[in-house]
Amino acid sequence: MIPGVLTLLLLLVLFTGVSAAGPQVIIDTDFGAADQPVLTRGDRPNERVTGVMAGNWRDDSGWTEEVFASWTAMEEEGRRFLRLKVQRLGPHWYQLCHPTPKIDADSFFRLKLTARSTQRIPLQVGIRDSAAPYKFHWQKSVALNSEWQDFSADFRLGAIEQDVGVWVSVNTVGELDIARFSLTRLSRDDYVDELKKQYGEEGPANLVAQSRFPLGLPTGWALDRDNSDGDDVIIAPDDAVTGPSGVRALKVSCSERTVLYSAPFAVPMAFMPHTASLYLRGTGEFAISVRCDGRQIARRAWTLSSADAWERVWVKFDPVLMAGVYGVVIEAPGTFWLDAMQVHSGAEPVPYCPQQPCEVALAIPESDASCALVQFADEPARVNWMLTGETQRAHLRARVVNVYGQTRELECPAADGATSGQVSFDAFPERPFGPFRVEAWAEDAAGSPLSPVSEIVVNRLPRPHYWGKDAPNSPFGVHTNSTTRHNRMLKAIGANWTRLHDAGLQYLGWYHIEKQPGQWTFHDKEIYRYRREHVKILGELGTAPFWASYYPGKPHSGYFDQFYQPKRLEDYENYVKVVTERYKGVIDAYDVWNEPWIHSWWAVGYNEGQEGRAGYVPSEDPQGSFTRLMAAAYRTAKATDPNITILGFNTTTGGGSSNNFSGTDWTRGVLEAGGLSFCDAVCYHMYIGGKPGYPGDVVEQGTQRAISPLLEEFGEMPKPLWMTEGSAGRDTLGAGFYKYTLPYENKEDVWETADRLCRYVVATLAQGVDKLFLYSMHAQSGLHALPEGGWRVIVTPEGFLHPSGVAHGALAWQLEDARFVEVVTLREGLYAYLFEAKDGSRSVAAISPRVGEAGFTVPDVDRLTAYDLFGNPVAAGKSLGSHLGYVSMPGKADGLRAVLAGQ
């Protein structure tokens, strides 16, 4: 019998054997024992992936001809392992797979991995379909560093109809080492027994560390992404109302309905029912629900009838074994007060009790961008604090941690009895910028803790060049909903534009604003909120209501059904006329549709023989019909205002498939249909894996694919180029700089995620683009969801500023009002992206070492200054390190080029 088949049969017996006692090992691979050639899943050699492999693992990169890699057996200090060297990826990624038996029943798994990467390459590990649609049923991002690490993850899967396997993916060129991999199946009884041994039969009195709200929402809490703070929703402590916990209550006033997400918490005793509760005052229909890993698992509605009496609202929930994080969601109308949150084991509420005798509340003092947890350099580095609970013998202790790993104890009131005040965290004058985590707790005189550790992350930035004013020529944009905190956050990081796709599409999309012919619903409040905060708008003239489109009369997707093609251009032209006339002088740039090169975004029918997105059917001439739509939008908008900017082509850097055109084919088709006559600029989308920042990187390759037909026709770009949607390293952004707020260990390397984003921006600007729009600041759901995955950029999972956003602020501070000049090779593996101020007053180079290369040493040159990824100064003789950094000089680029050439 073929060894691989025998292995799979043995696994099947183990996996389905009901009589087997205890955990069942599915995979246990010692990669140091590799002794067979690398094979594809079809047991064939792969000429582009070479070396040796262990166990039943197979290379799975045969679907692309652009991946080159090698596996080499190594030994170091008595440890044997395999080294993966990824030499080339193109726009794709490297994959390794291992078969598993069919998952035909609810199952519990424990995955363990021992690995490292001196180049800090991230690894994606997951359980995926073996055939189309290649869906991941569970996936985790593993952040590797130069030390050997043992990673462990527990997860649960329901029955899956398709055959599945384990997939390990790498989307970055470089090296990593793997020593061992195992996957074990546990029964429910196995797992419950483990929990009982670890935690006993009863849990803590309160799983919530911050149960009171005397200074506002604690760290980890958030408003729903559609609730705008400070206008639609006002949240503030109420000195006139004392809550059941004995401290002032939190007052929430809203014009319609507020949705609040709590900080996350863990449920260690997940095998028994729990209860979540809090006290509310107000009138109307309220609801409290519990979410687990982003999915609602319990909800209860309450009708409250008094704004003067407190009522305890609660919901029982059954935890999910092997789940990650939990959170409470509050839905409430009008004005209400809240206090005294509690989560505990048991099916009914018990008397309110905090987790420990005291709690420490922290808040950022009110300032220009405090709603986004941002302080500018000209604002004091301080936080407010308040002790609550049994404070008689308590005093405050606090420290601050910066992004460099430095820690400083902070000066606090020495005497017992002090219950509120401010603490300064200006402890690193040599490194004033970046995210700062202020940690605080209560102690007694003997140094014993009396409270959980509370934290707040404050982001310190230089005040951006265009704070409080428009920046129409700025290249920096982000997708975001129109809320006060996100508009100010966007401006704070130097991003001055937003594109209304998904985030904000509901404000302008035809499907949303003319549900019935002639019945218009406008969203002026949201549109004008962008402009009030000096955010420039790229509108989207897209979607179509069912009555005006090829919608077949039967729903197939709550999302894609709004993107069927319009039937009559006359109806679309009327929509364009209404929108452009209404917002003349308010919105002066528009994108036409979104991603028409994907069939599900530009369909005229649906094939019922297919499922999901594969069923959407394009027209016989998709590029031609899209060009006619461009022409309709262009002529109509220009008749309203000749100065309006209309984008066209709407192409991509991606390749083609059965469900979409490649960027090259789409661009060529629109060009041949005459599309260049109906746009003021060409736009494209670009999502990449890996870390760009060198000549010939994936950004350069992808952009060339998107625009190559135009370059072939004209020799250069005939019109300006905008990158209107994209990001680097989708699924890699984690929970940011949080520590105690999270009920799990935060392993994100924020230097790596910030570096990846900034390299992407610099490399994109180097392609000559006028503007770029990162996607998306609205892709948040709360810290009750696991941080990995999704389309999120700039923000943490609950919607506050991520360290990568702080790094973007440093980048924008350096590169705003500058034009790209050229890439200078300083040495093999080290490059300088040279920019010059448009008025010639200064020049700046973004220094970009390739992965694994040594950084740039700052020369001692008069008037030359250097800054690291987060905008902090770097002295002469010091290295900028392995991440992106900046050097700047007064004058034109020639002077800086000469200095760089001398190094």
Side-chain angles (χ1 to χ4, degrees), residues 43 57 80 129 165 173 205 213 234 245 290 314 394 431 448 459 467 498 516 551 577 608 763 799 852 895:
D43 288 343
W57 291 88
R80 296 189 303 167
D129 291 337
V173 172
F213 315 95
I234 299 174
S245 72
V290 177
W314 58 276
R431 287 170 169 166
S448 299
N459 303 284
W467 181 258
T498 190
Q516 297 298 327
Y551 175 69
K577 181 176 185 291
E608 298 292 346

Side-chain angles (χ1 to χ4, degrees), residues 492-783:
I493 64 170
N496 296 293
W497 282 79
T498 190
R499 174 176 176 254
L500 303 191
H501 173 71
D502 289 342
L505 182 62
Q506 67 272 29
Y507 309 148
L508 215 62
W510 188 17
Y511 171 88
H512 300 274
I513 67 174
E514 195 189 9
K515 288 285 188 179
Q516 297 298 327
Q519 298 179 16
W520 296 91
T521 302
F522 298 108
H523 298 268
D524 294 347
K525 179 176 61 176
E526 289 80 6
I527 295 296
Y528 281 94
R529 188 185 292 126
Y530 286 125
R531 296 301 297 123
R532 186 181 68 221
E533 301 294 340
H534 299 281
V535 175
K536 294 287 289 181
I537 300 169
L538 171 60
E540 181 182 314
L541 298 170
T543 71
F546 291 161
W547 63 267
S549 77
Y550 284 95
Y551 175 69
K554 176 181 178 183
H556 297 95
S557 164
Y559 179 79
F560 291 108
D561 285 352
Q562 66 184 313
F563 286 97
Y564 282 103
Q565 282 189 33
K567 280 187 176 179
R568 288 170 18 101
L569 287 179
E570 295 87 345
D571 294 329
Y572 178 75
E573 287 168 345
N574 183 61
Y575 153 68
V576 173
K577 181 176 185 291
V578 168
V579 168
T580 55
E581 286 184 348
R582 187 176 189 86
Y583 297 115
K584 182 178 180 180
V586 179
I587 303 175
D588 49 25
Y590 289 92
D591 202 357
V592 178
W593 216 258
N594 179 74
E595 298 189 349
W597 43 274
I598 298 177
H599 302 342
S600 52
W601 260 296
W602 190 239
V604 295
Y606 193 88
N607 180 358
E608 298 292 346
Q610 297 287 339
E611 294 183 359
R613 293 180 62 176
Y616 289 90
V617 178
S619 67
E620 294 183 359
D621 180 21
Q623 292 103 320
S625 59
F626 178 69
T627 300
R628 290 187 285 276
L629 189 84
M630 283 174 51
Y634 184 83
R635 290 167 177 153
T636 305
K638 292 292 186 178
T640 300
D641 181 357
N643 295 317
I644 284 179
T645 297
I646 298 296
L647 305 189
F649 282 77
N650 211 320
T651 187
T652 177
T653 61
S657 74
S658 59
N659 296 317
N660 66 274
F661 290 89
S662 71
T664 302
D665 289 342
W666 182 261
T667 302
R668 181 176 291 111
V670 175
L671 177 64
E672 291 174 350
L676 196 61
S677 299
F678 306 112
C679 64
D680 299 303
V682 173
C683 66
Y684 71 105
H685 292 181
M686 177 172 62
Y687 290 93
I688 68 164
K691 291 175 67 171
Y694 53 89
D697 62 16
V698 292
V699 168
E700 182 178 335
Q701 294 176 39
T703 303
Q704 295 304 305
R705 276 193 297 273
I707 64 176
S708 59
L710 291 162
L711 298 179
E712 292 166 4
E713 180 74 16
F714 299 99
E716 60 181 7
M717 279 301 295
K719 292 190 176 179
L721 182 63
W722 291 27
M723 199 294 293
T724 50
E725 184 183 316
S727 69
R730 181 180 169 236
D731 299 325
T732 62
L733 209 65
F737 207 44
Y738 294 134
K739 182 178 180 181
Y740 296 99
T741 301
L742 306 174
Y744 53 85
E745 183 181 0
N746 185 1
K747 294 185 177 181
E748 181 183 4
D749 185 336
V750 297
W751 280 86
E752 286 298 300
T753 45
D755 186 48
R756 183 186 295 261
L757 175 79
C758 292
R759 286 171 179 263
Y760 172 88
V761 173
V762 168
T764 303
L765 292 175
Q767 300 309 305
V769 303
D770 279 23
K771 299 193 189 312
L772 63 92
F773 295 79
L774 299 170
Y775 186 92
S776 169
M777 274 176 59
H778 92 299
Q780 63 201 58
S781 57
L783 281 168

Side-chain angles (χ1 to χ4, degrees), residues 94 163 274 383 436 575 689 744 785 814:
Y94 177 74
D163 290 332
H274 280 62
V383 297
F436 295 85
Y575 153 68
Y744 53 85
Q814 294 291 334

